[in-house]
Amino acid sequence: MSKDLLRFKAIKLRELAKRIDLIEKKNSNLENAQNVYFPTFSDSIGLFQIFRLFKFKINYFNFYIKIMKNTFSGIFFSCSRIYKNKKKFNYDNIIFTWANFKNFNQNGSLDDRYFNINSRQTQSTLWIVIYLDAKVPKIFDKNILIYKNEKKKIQILKFINFIVKKVWSFKNFGLFFHNISNFSFFGNNFLNDIKDYLKPEIKKIFFPFEYQPFQNRLIYYLKMTNNNAKVIGYIHAPPLSFPSNYIHRRVSPDEIIVNGEDQAICFKKFLNWPNKKIRVKPSTRFLKNKKISMSNNIYFPMTIRNEKDIYDSFTYIINSSNYCLNGIKIKKHPISAKEKKIIKFEKKLKKLLSSEKKKKIKNNKNLSIFIGSTGAIIEALERGTKVLQICEFPLLDVYSNELWKNIIVNRIAKNIFTYKLKKKGRLIRLGDLQKRKTLYGYKI
């Protein structure tokens, strides 16, 4: 891919940043602007607008159907429940996080996967856990609050009331679809449900930060109510090929933690973050661990949008004399692993892989193949795995060394790319597992 095309991504990031800034300049838009969200990894109005920005060919009918599905899936966030320990607990700080049943220990403590810290190491911190499983732990410590969406119990009137209010207060067409999204509905409910725990005396609030609407709305609420808590956002995800969801906004954390010097450069130069808000620290999520291997796998994305191009790319790789995929395993994204579309494509791909003929070259045991846009590519490179990326939309999915200075990009076929790092540790500085009395230097 030419240098001009790689620079094109940087130009588009700046264009998107200007659009967000224009929306936020009007104070009347500011509260609703907290629902604006531009992920490249899930179907949403934000992704639709990115596609238009890149001038991709869009099947408008299919995309509007997806947006409507996104909106009406919000109904599954209409009923929530808070589980908390009856023992009284005084706290100075709050950590917001996500967790599954497996993250809880039998003694009632939580092993957090983002900060790699046990909840019992935090003496003065309340953990507000957005819970992702059906089964809730019977025992959990007094400094843990579990927030669970009861997806089997829906409140239709609550959802309809939310949509009607958004339609009635409609002022800005560019904001409208963001404001009726499932992200927006969840953010609205979540803030209303946990407001009482945002006490004025709170000193610090930590997030694994993604600029999700629920996080934005919470920060906006704190700022508007003159709460003096310092908000620290940890950029836990590996660098993305097009990090549009991290563009700096008027309402943002007081400080962000990034895990590599190249991340700091990108956030300052292309995502408009002030230098004073950025700190570079080793990752607490991705650790130096020789037992972790990302080799010999095919990694599925959250959503597959272009089956034909993906299938054709695998056909090219199998027919190539440079690669042998015998014994390679398929790893589906946990969020979409049970979807019929994903399972159907997995079966189709396995049949193709089984057709590979014997080759003189040895099996590429240190090779992994990643489909679509995913930050896991960078983690794999930092761990020494050889990487192939099959792009659904190359202009959007492929990494650019204009944004990420330490990456070397090579195109080997129409939608297939390979990468190398100039120097390890610049994109993700892998951390060490250790017992902590502080989090990024802050007492917790």
Side-chain angles (χ1 to χ4, degrees):
M1 188 169 279
S2 70
K3 288 185 178 180
D4 287 341
L5 286 175
L6 292 176
R7 289 194 188 104
F8 180 75
K9 299 185 78 162
I11 293 167
K12 292 303 174 186
L13 266 180
R14 291 193 176 108
E15 284 183 25
L16 197 57
K18 285 179 182 178
R19 289 188 185 188
I20 293 171
D21 188 53
L22 282 172
I23 291 170
E24 292 190 330
K25 273 185 177 178
K26 290 185 179 180
N27 285 330
S28 59
N29 287 338
L30 193 56
E31 182 175 3
N32 284 330
Q34 303 319 307
N35 295 315
V36 173
Y37 186 43
F38 289 104
T40 58
F41 41 82
S42 64
D43 290 331
S44 64
I45 183 63
L47 181 65
F48 174 71
Q49 290 174 333
I50 290 170
F51 277 21
R52 290 186 67 186
L53 185 72
F54 275 80
K55 294 183 168 62
F56 290 156
K57 288 183 179 179
I58 300 171
N59 184 321
Y60 281 83
F61 177 77
N62 285 346
F63 228 108
Y64 277 117
I65 291 294
K66 288 179 180 179
I67 290 169
M68 288 300 102
K69 283 183 178 179
N70 173 284
T71 297
F72 287 101
S73 67
I75 200 167
F76 296 110
F77 299 128
S78 60
C79 183
S80 57
R81 182 177 173 184
I82 289 176
Y83 298 81
K84 59 182 181 178
N85 197 301
K86 292 180 181 179
K87 293 180 182 178
K88 191 175 179 181
F89 177 70
N90 296 318
Y91 53 95
D92 298 322
N93 314 302
I94 298 175
I95 294 177
F96 289 89
T97 191
W98 294 272
N100 297 87
F101 185 82
K102 67 181 181 181
N103 301 125
F104 284 85
N105 299 309
Q106 289 184 352
N107 63 6
S109 67
L110 170 71
D111 287 328
D112 182 69
R113 56 179 168 164
Y114 300 100
F115 300 107
N116 256 304
I117 194 169
N118 182 274
S119 57
R120 290 194 176 181
Q121 293 173 246
T122 59
Q123 299 300 314
S124 57
T125 298
L126 174 68
W127 290 76
I128 297 182
V129 178
I130 299 173
Y131 194 69
L132 304 175
D133 278 338
K135 184 181 177 182
V136 177
K138 292 181 180 179
I139 301 171
F140 49 92
D141 288 342
K142 62 182 180 180
N143 66 333
I144 296 174
L145 181 153
I146 294 175
Y147 184 90
K148 182 176 180 290
N149 284 299
E150 302 286 351
K151 293 186 177 181
K152 291 184 178 180
K153 299 177 183 179
I154 58 175
Q155 297 179 9
I156 296 174
L157 290 178
K158 184 178 181 180
F159 179 71
I160 292 173
N161 184 50
F162 168 79
I163 296 295
V164 169
K165 279 184 177 179
K166 293 298 180 183
V167 172
W168 190 256
S169 61
F170 166 67
K171 293 178 182 178
N172 185 305
F173 187 77
L175 288 174
F176 178 68
F177 284 107
H178 284 281
N179 275 280
I180 62 169
S181 72
N182 58 2
F183 297 114
S184 172
F185 186 53
F186 173 76
N188 185 73
N189 292 339
F190 183 73
L191 177 60
N192 288 334
D193 290 341
I194 58 95
K195 270 181 186 177
D196 292 344
Y197 300 95
L198 304 175
K199 303 184 299 182
E201 58 268 27
I202 294 295
K203 295 176 181 177
K204 293 176 289 294
I205 291 176
F206 297 88
F207 286 108
F209 192 64
E210 299 179 358
Y211 256 134
Q212 284 203 34
F214 85 88
Q215 297 173 332
N216 304 343
R217 287 184 61 81
L218 203 150
I219 297 170
Y220 177 83
Y221 173 79
L222 292 170
K223 303 298 181 186
M224 293 302 107
T225 54
N226 296 313
N227 190 305
N228 293 318
K230 183 173 184 176
V231 179
I232 299 106
Y234 169 46
I235 310 301
H236 69 93
L240 297 168
S241 57
F242 190 73
S244 47
N245 58 314
Y246 287 121
I247 293 169
H248 185 259
R249 314 264 280 272
R250 284 179 63 185
V251 177
S252 61
D254 300 298
E255 179 179 282
I256 57 168
I257 309 295
V258 299
N259 298 142
E261 286 77 7
D262 278 18
Q263 287 190 49
I265 292 168
C266 181
F267 273 65
K268 284 183 282 188
K269 189 175 179 180
F270 300 106
L271 304 178
N272 299 339
W273 282 83
N275 188 48
K276 64 181 181 180
K277 281 192 170 188
I278 302 172
R279 291 173 66 200
V280 181
K281 292 283 184 181
S283 177
T284 53
R285 180 181 175 187
F286 302 109
L287 307 177
K288 298 172 187 173
N289 189 336
K290 292 179 180 178
K291 293 181 180 179
I292 295 175
S293 173
M294 297 184 70
S295 301
N296 204 32
N297 293 309
I298 295 169
Y299 290 89
F300 275 26
M302 192 184 300
T303 305
I304 290 177
R305 305 184 184 94
N306 197 336
E307 284 190 20
K308 183 181 183 304
D309 283 356
I310 295 170
Y311 189 86
D312 289 347
S313 295
F314 271 105
T315 302
Y316 175 90
I317 294 168
I318 286 172
N319 291 334
S320 167
S321 59
N322 296 320
Y323 304 99
C324 178
L325 303 185
N326 284 329
I328 200 165
K329 298 175 183 177
I330 293 174
K331 286 204 169 185
K332 294 177 290 187
H333 196 286
I335 289 177
S336 57
K338 295 180 180 179
E339 289 182 9
K340 290 181 180 179
K341 181 181 177 181
I342 297 294
I343 294 170
K344 186 178 178 182
F345 184 73
E346 179 190 23
K347 289 178 180 177
K348 187 177 178 181
L349 182 57
K350 281 182 175 179
K351 187 176 180 180
L352 176 66
L353 293 170
S354 67
S355 70
E356 186 174 33
K357 297 176 182 178
K358 289 184 179 180
K359 296 177 181 176
K360 291 181 180 179
I361 62 166
K362 292 182 179 179
N363 189 21
N364 300 101
K365 289 184 178 179
N366 194 35
L367 174 73
S368 278
I369 300 173
F370 296 81
I371 301 171
S373 175
T374 170
I377 288 171
I378 303 300
E379 183 193 356
L381 289 169
E382 292 286 6
R383 295 192 185 281
T385 301
K386 291 180 181 179
V387 165
L388 284 181
Q389 181 189 23
I390 295 175
C391 297
E392 297 181 278
F393 305 97
L395 200 56
L396 183 61
D397 295 346
V398 71
Y399 280 87
S400 163
N401 52 20
E402 181 76 11
L403 297 179
W404 309 108
K405 301 295 183 184
N406 200 50
I407 199 162
I408 300 169
V409 185
N410 285 305
R411 187 177 203 162
I412 62 172
K414 181 185 174 184
N415 294 324
I416 308 172
F417 295 82
T418 185
Y419 303 99
K420 287 183 181 179
L421 297 180
K422 294 177 185 177
K423 186 179 178 181
K424 285 186 179 183
R426 293 279 305 183
L427 284 163
I428 303 176
R429 198 190 303 171
L430 299 176
D432 295 301
L433 184 61
Q434 54 184 318
K435 287 188 176 182
R436 301 184 188 91
K437 293 182 179 180
T438 62
L439 190 58
Y440 312 123
Y442 295 109
K443 188 177 179 182
I444 51 174

